[in-house]
Amino acid sequence: MGSMKGIILFCLLATVPATATKELPIATVHIFLKEDCPIARYHTKTLSKLQESYAKEGIAFRGYVSTSKASAQSVAAFKAKFNISFAIEPDASLSKAHHLGAKVTPEVVVLDRDGKTLYQGRIDNTYADFGKRRRVTTSHDLRDVLEALARGEAVEPKSTKAIGCLIPIAKS
């Protein structure tokens, strides 16, 4: 009777399609935003376009609204207002931002499937400083990182300085 259980188990396993096992993304882009940050608002369209372009390459996007006032309702309204195409959730405790070392919004942290940081910093160089927008964007840092990942190449640079609204430091 024991061998019959083995045969049944083998038959059950053999009928499970190979696609049933969910493969981890090659990388995940963690995006830190604030609903009232003008630079974060500006970049929502770029971020959604990047998500749509690189999802098929196995790159996932996760957004966090890192402010103590963030709620499920306010985040849902922000997502709808700016047509954000990726998952976004409140980070009212700021734990996600502090865990990944995000200091401003918008800031991105790209992790590989093992959780190793591949890139951290700005989306592009549209802003030279807070309130100082360039006429022409000359460096598309996040796009270049995603393109390198999609081609299986090393990511360079590993970090850039993000310009934006400060994420508060956790109170001890």
Side-chain angles (χ1 to χ4, degrees):
M1 198 68 167
S3 64
M4 184 58 119
K5 286 181 184 176
I7 292 170
I8 291 170
L9 180 60
F10 174 77
C11 290
L12 287 172
L13 290 174
T15 60
V16 176
T19 57
T21 59
K22 187 172 180 168
E23 191 176 321
L24 291 173
I26 62 169
T28 302
V29 180
H30 296 272
I31 306 151
F32 296 90
L33 302 164
K34 279 187 184 176
E35 298 128 318
D36 61 351
C37 179
I39 299 173
R41 287 174 166 213
Y42 172 83
H43 281 295
T44 56
K45 187 174 183 179
T46 299
L47 289 164
S48 288
K49 284 181 180 179
L50 288 171
Q51 186 272 330
E52 291 164 7
S53 295
Y54 289 95
K56 65 184 177 292
E57 303 293 340
I59 299 171
F61 281 60
R62 298 285 177 265
Y64 309 96
V65 175
S66 295
T67 174
S68 61
K69 296 177 183 176
S71 67
Q73 296 81 8
S74 69
V75 170
F78 177 65
K79 181 176 175 155
K81 180 176 182 176
F82 291 96
N83 296 318
I84 297 171
S85 62
F86 49 87
I88 186 169
E89 62 187 65
D91 181 27
S93 68
L94 309 178
S95 61
K96 224 17 162 174
H98 292 151
H99 174 73
L100 292 176
K103 306 267 188 288
V104 300
T105 64
E107 184 170 352
V108 297
V109 180
V110 181
L111 303 178
D112 70 8
R113 62 174 47 129
D114 296 323
K116 178 183 166 203
T117 301
L118 300 173
Y119 172 78
Q120 181 166 354
R122 66 188 181 194
I123 296 151
D124 60 34
N125 73 344
T126 297
Y127 284 86
D129 203 346
F130 196 83
K132 293 183 181 178
R133 188 171 162 195
R134 288 184 166 90
R135 288 180 187 228
V136 177
T137 301
T138 59
S139 182
H140 300 274
D141 307 280
L142 180 58
R143 184 195 66 196
D144 295 346
V145 164
L146 300 178
E147 193 58 35
L149 287 170
R151 290 191 310 258
E153 298 173 0
V155 171
E156 287 296 331
K158 301 284 185 201
S159 66
T160 57
K161 184 179 189 247
I163 305 294
C165 305
L166 289 176
I167 295 173
I169 296 171
K171 295 177 182 166
S172 304

